[in-house]
Amino acid sequence: MNVLYKETYKNPKILGLNMGYWSRMLKHMKIDNFQHIKVDCPFDSRKDLPLFVCTNGQRSLRIFQYDVYESDNYEKYAYITAWKDICHYKDCEFQELVVCLLLTKEYTQKVKELIKCWFKQEDQKVDCIIDEIYSLQKVNAKK
Amino acid sequence: MSNRNKMNRGRIQAQGIGCQESESWTQDNVPTKNDGITFENALKGKLTKKEIQDRQSCFLKFERFINKAPKNGYDDNIKSSFTPYPPIRDVRVDVEIIKGRAFKD
């Protein structure tokens, strides 16, 4: 399993590249009124905060990335999950999609598809993709 | 003064697979790191053994999050989620700092 940006939480340079990667990906999706919300915090608390947060004024997205060095037996288990939630930002309430993953090619493809459907408000597809993600986790239940 | 006007508001929640319990704060003083641990334990008190067990690593990550907070605490508009290793569907512990600051020294 090839994990991208492995050193994200060890090296601020890699963290920056990783954030840039998500920013670029979201920009390519050409989401109307796209706004990146920056989370201000010290480098050593980064791994407990979202890596990337954005909104289009109606819906928002929070992305967390597992630290490969803490992820127990990451080659054996599925380190990807997602859910829908509600969040508050500057006194407004948003519907939000939350994604937590280890950054691999396979998971990134799945998440890209999920994010596209989320901002297009294709909620049935969103639910289907989340179910697909949960079915990848069957192996996790055996832990 | 109504609770909504108090300077510092937030909550921690245990969520996922049918569980939805929370512990919130609304107060004039910025909650300290110790207050954070108290909120965590108050939340645990509302959960079953199994719900706590499923979220053991989530609570450990929440404690690390508190301990790594800057001296004067985290800013508002911060929301974080702590999932188990490896993840199980939407099982998690969320923390949301809605207004003011939280978890100062």
Side-chain angles (χ1 to χ4, degrees):
Chain A
M1 183 189 275
N2 187 16
V3 179
L4 306 169
Y5 302 116
K6 264 188 174 181
E7 308 288 315
T8 291
Y9 299 114
K10 287 190 170 180
N11 183 342
K13 243 186 198 173
I14 307 295
L15 174 72
L17 288 170
N18 196 345
M19 288 169 154
Y21 169 85
W22 286 101
S23 190
R24 210 167 52 244
M25 183 200 284
L26 269 293
K27 270 183 193 160
H28 281 169
M29 288 184 192
K30 296 195 169 119
I31 298 157
D32 289 338
N33 304 316
F34 172 81
Q35 189 197 342
H36 179 192
I37 299 169
K38 290 193 175 144
V39 180
D40 187 24
C41 71
F43 177 73
D44 69 346
S45 46
R46 282 292 352 173
K47 73 171 86 175
D48 295 314
L49 285 161
L51 184 78
F52 190 83
V53 185
C54 68
T55 177
N56 67 350
Q58 291 178 310
R59 291 186 163 203
S60 67
L61 168 71
R62 268 191 305 140
I63 294 170
F64 290 88
Q65 196 173 306
Y66 293 107
D67 182 1
V68 68
Y69 296 104
E70 283 187 353
S71 303
D72 183 19
N73 217 344
Y74 72 90
E75 294 194 316
K76 193 173 161 194
Y77 299 110
Y79 271 92
I80 180 170
T81 197
W83 62 87
K84 296 189 289 186
D85 203 357
I86 299 283
C87 78
H88 303 90
Y89 180 66
K90 292 187 175 166
D91 287 332
C92 297
E93 205 175 85
F94 292 91
Q95 286 189 67
E96 72 167 354
L97 173 71
V98 186
V99 176
C100 307
L101 79 166
L102 260 185
L103 206 60
T104 68
K105 259 190 181 169
E106 182 198 358
Y107 295 162
T108 309
Q109 273 312 110
K110 181 85 40 213
V111 166
K112 229 176 173 175
E113 203 186 330
L114 177 63
I115 295 170
K116 266 188 195 166
C117 295
W118 176 246
F119 283 112
K120 283 185 186 167
Q121 305 198 11
E122 295 173 347
D123 291 336
Q124 276 190 333
K125 277 192 190 170
V126 168
D127 291 341
C128 279
I129 299 171
I130 291 177
D131 278 345
E132 280 171 31
I133 288 172
Y134 290 167
S135 67
L136 291 174
Q137 294 175 3
K138 270 179 194 155
V139 67
N140 296 0
K142 288 175 192 153
K143 197 186 175 189
Chain B
M1 191 191 280
S2 82
N3 275 348
R4 279 190 77 83
N5 291 332
K6 298 236 179 195
M7 296 300 288
N8 303 284
R9 280 200 295 132
R11 64 182 169 187
I12 56 172
Q13 289 177 290
Q15 307 241 56
I17 317 189
C19 171
Q20 193 168 14
E21 288 291 352
S22 70
E23 183 63 27
S24 58
W25 64 90
T26 306
Q27 56 191 66
D28 285 326
N29 298 330
V30 176
T32 61
K33 291 180 164 70
N34 280 339
D35 291 334
I37 300 297
T38 305
F39 299 146
E40 177 196 350
N41 282 287
L43 175 62
K44 279 181 176 170
K46 297 175 183 176
L47 304 179
T48 65
K49 262 188 187 172
K50 170 85 170 86
E51 286 167 342
I52 296 173
Q53 205 175 14
D54 287 347
R55 290 166 185 78
Q56 217 154 24
S57 52
C58 313
F59 283 116
L60 287 175
K61 287 190 218 175
F62 174 69
E63 286 170 18
R64 184 173 65 188
F65 168 81
I66 292 176
N67 289 325
K68 296 265 179 178
K71 277 185 178 175
N72 57 346
Y74 289 111
D75 273 335
D76 56 3
N77 294 319
I78 277 192
K79 186 175 180 186
S80 204
S81 300
F82 311 102
T83 56
Y85 287 133
I88 313 160
R89 300 177 73 90
D90 56 346
V91 168
R92 66 196 188 268
V93 171
D94 288 336
V95 57
E96 194 171 14
I97 302 164
I98 299 168
K99 189 178 171 188
R101 305 186 71 83
F103 312 132
K104 68 171 191 177
D105 279 356

